[in-house]
Amino acid sequence: MHRTRDIRVRASDGTVLLTDHWHADGAGGDTVLIRTPYGRDGIGGVALFLAARGHHVVVQSCRGTFGSAGAFDPLHDEAADGQSTLRWLRAQPWATGRVHSWGGSYFGVTQWAYCDGDDRPDAMGIAISARRFDDAILYPGGGFSIDTPLTWAYALDIQERALPSRIGALVRARWALRRGALAVPPADAVRVARGADPQFFRDWVEHSDAGDPWWRPMHFAQDVDTIPPVTLVAGWQDLFLVGQLADHAALHEAGRPVRLIVGDWVHGAPEITVIGVREALRSFPETAPPTGARMEVTGGGGWRDLESWPPPHTRLSAELTADGRLDRSGDAHPAGALSYRYDPGDPTPDAGGRTLNPFSAGRRVQRRREQRADVLVFTDEPLREDLLLMGTPEVALALTSSNPRVDLFVRLCEVDAKGVSRTLTDGYRRLSAEVSEDGSGRIRLELAPLAHRVAAGSRLRVQVSSGAHPLHLRNPGTEDPVRDHSRLIPSEQTLRLGGDAPALLTLPAVTTTPRQTPSASPAVHRDVPR
């Protein structure tokens, strides 16, 4: 096995990008291109695995990271630097075959950026990432998902420091991130947590308004006709889930070759790398890449092969009632209301969710959250038989507030036979004109998609609240709720129920079972790097 280190590839502005080339004796002409800000050694296992199977593998450090010159300004240079790298790669005498790009998270962002230039890979393998970084993970629902960018900034600041410094920072990380998320103003979050003050984080706070033109150059691959065949690997508990499924829908509707795989993974789970590498190898032949979707049904439902996502389903409705029930009978219920007080000085906690923060990511027990007075809880009767859900749940409700500047957070949970409540999915929106004191507004909120088998004997539960901090930055109740935390204004919320304003949960119920694969998970080679 050969590894040529620190090849000096020049970007269009002359910046030197350090690059490694892996290959075995007798390697063919196909190449895998990986661009990463996290260090070339960290991806060495994947590079070795692919090179041992006859491919050239090119691993490059993004500018400003791990020896590459310049400054790392997330997203801003990836399109231009990616084009420079592709031109260099195509000119190499050993690169005579197809070029396949691979990687997840920010590695995936560097791939979407290729699509905005004249040269593109012949195929892409993108895991846990999305074309629009801002909409997908920074401002979903119109607020600021501070937990993820704060965690990322913390990790970036320590990744190239000496080992003792990194270990100390990791030991302090849980409490440091918690302090940073409560910083006033929020732009100081990284400084409070870590003592660093990266400009990109301040930029993201400053440019948090919907439709801010500052983001337009970083909305990659918006012309779907420029996108080569792509395999998307997503996770039900991953922060990019909603954005990545939106990307899949756009490509599928446009007739582009796209394959979707979704497992029950949080961001960075090792299974994502295993399956992503395997799918990359499947995409090398000149024949058309595989399409369709392969989904892991959580709750013990196994893996299912689908022609497309979502599969055909029926809409099953359940009503939230004033006595705290989630009723699927279809009976009418008298008008009523339930109220709660939201206090940004004691923000409603997230208790898990789709975040980068490893201390809180994923499905968490909801007992403490559901005991809070600022969370309304509605629970179904035990199911008599299994219920298979595959698609996008939705809630429709009427909410009034003493302050129209308020958030709505709805979480769907499963309560097992022992009474333990765990997250299935949730949805969030920062409200303004939709909420008014006269109660005229009715809100429809989509929750994140899911594929889940609710076991017989379990119950469904819905939480309604006005916060999930720091998954979504607490709303101070001011006119500028992302940047202005000079005042923390409590508010009173009232949820109207029954009568002519029923609050409804609509579920995507699948009655025709999609084809289930025999294995518990997608088959992987035993020697795939983990």
Side-chain angles (χ1 to χ4, degrees), residues 104 131 219 261 266 290 292 356 414 424 428 443 486 497 514 529:
R131 292 182 296 162
H219 289 166
I261 300 169
V266 296
L356 186 62
E414 179 180 9
L424 293 181
Y428 163 84
I443 304 158
S486 61
L497 300 160

Side-chain angles (χ1 to χ4, degrees), residues 167 190 272 460:
I167 292 174
V190 185
I272 297 170
L460 291 172

Side-chain angles (χ1 to χ4, degrees), residues 430-474:
R430 178 145 288 177
L431 305 171
S432 54
E434 295 144 304
V435 176
S436 58
E437 292 185 3
D438 63 7
S440 60
R442 186 166 176 82
I443 304 158
R444 291 189 178 274
L445 177 67
E446 287 189 348
L447 310 188
L450 81 167
H452 183 77
R453 180 186 69 94
V454 187
S458 296
R459 294 173 289 164
L460 291 172
R461 175 171 289 170
V462 170
Q463 304 171 7
V464 178
S465 65
S466 289
H469 181 85
L471 183 66
H472 303 284
L473 176 67
R474 58 179 172 169

Side-chain angles (χ1 to χ4, degrees), residues 198-209:
Q199 183 59 44
F200 75 82
F201 187 87
R202 291 190 175 273
D203 286 341
W204 292 353
V205 174
E206 177 63 28
H207 297 285
S208 58
D209 295 329

Side-chain angles (χ1 to χ4, degrees), residues 89-428:
L89 194 159
R90 301 277 192 192
Q92 302 310 302
W94 39 263
T96 58
R98 290 161 54 85
V99 174
H100 183 114
S101 61
W102 178 87
S105 193
Y106 197 90
F107 301 31
V109 171
T110 66
Q111 295 182 73
W112 287 123
Y114 295 139
C115 300
D116 290 344
D118 294 331
D119 199 349
R120 291 177 289 278
D122 297 294
M124 302 192 300
I126 297 179
I128 52 174
S129 192
R131 292 182 296 162
R132 293 186 59 152
F133 192 88
D134 53 337
D135 291 346
I137 66 169
L138 297 182
Y139 321 116
F144 182 43
S145 292
I146 191 171
D147 202 30
T148 285
L150 173 58
T151 302
W152 194 55
Y154 192 99
L156 287 175
D157 186 67
I158 70 175
Q159 67 173 357
E160 296 191 56
R161 299 185 182 273
L163 180 60
S165 177
R166 293 203 308 272
I167 292 174
L170 291 172
V171 168
R172 297 187 296 271
R174 179 193 293 267
W175 305 110
L177 294 173
R178 186 172 298 179
R179 288 194 307 270
L182 293 171
V184 176
D188 286 345
V190 185
R191 182 186 60 78
V192 170
R194 176 65 191 153
D197 194 13
Q199 183 59 44
F200 75 82
F201 187 87
R202 291 190 175 273
D203 286 341
W204 292 353
V205 174
E206 177 63 28
H207 297 285
S208 58
D209 295 329
D212 191 320
W214 184 83
W215 281 99
R216 288 176 189 164
M218 293 165 279
H219 289 166
F220 300 132
Q222 295 305 291
D223 181 359
V224 294
D225 291 335
T226 68
I227 299 174
V230 58
T231 297
L232 301 176
V233 180
W236 292 123
Q237 303 175 60
D238 179 62
L239 52 137
F240 282 104
L241 172 67
V242 175
Q244 193 163 18
L245 292 185
D247 290 340
H248 170 262
L251 291 168
H252 181 73
E253 291 170 6
R256 302 297 295 170
V258 58
R259 177 165 170 77
L260 176 66
I261 300 169
V262 190
D264 191 26
W265 306 312
V266 296
H267 197 82
E271 294 91 344
I272 297 170
T273 298
V274 173
I275 292 174
V277 171
R278 185 206 63 190
E279 292 298 327
L281 292 174
R282 294 182 64 188
S283 300
F284 271 110
E286 295 286 350
T287 56
T291 57
R294 198 175 200 186
M295 328 296 288
E296 183 178 8
V297 178
T298 59
W303 285 85
R304 313 292 174 104
D305 290 317
L306 310 173
E307 292 184 2
S308 62
W309 172 264
H313 55 266
T314 58
R315 307 301 287 177
L316 176 66
S317 293
E319 184 174 347
L320 286 61
T321 68
D323 56 357
R325 290 184 296 123
L326 187 62
D327 183 18
R328 291 184 288 114
S329 69
D331 295 340
H333 296 275
L338 292 173
S339 299
Y340 61 93
R341 184 176 189 266
Y342 170 74
D343 181 3
D346 179 24
T348 315
D350 53 20
R354 297 181 305 280
T355 174
L356 186 62
N357 188 333
F359 304 111
S360 58
R363 306 185 196 280
R364 303 283 171 147
V365 173
Q366 298 295 297
R367 181 178 60 84
R368 293 183 64 182
R369 179 179 158 86
E370 291 174 351
Q371 289 176 344
R372 288 180 60 103
D374 54 3
V375 178
L376 301 180
V377 176
F378 305 86
T379 307
D380 196 0
E381 294 294 324
L383 296 176
R384 296 182 179 179
E385 57 185 21
D386 291 356
L387 175 63
L388 181 59
L389 304 176
M390 300 184 75
T392 302
E394 182 182 278
V395 292
L397 50 79
L399 187 72
T400 63
S401 177
S402 60
N403 184 348
R405 301 174 189 89
V406 69
D407 291 354
L408 174 64
F409 182 80
V410 177
R411 174 167 279 163
L412 176 65
C413 302
E414 179 180 9
V415 184
D416 65 21
K418 296 181 179 179
V420 179
S421 175
R422 291 184 175 86
T423 304
L424 293 181
T425 185
D426 50 51
Y428 163 84

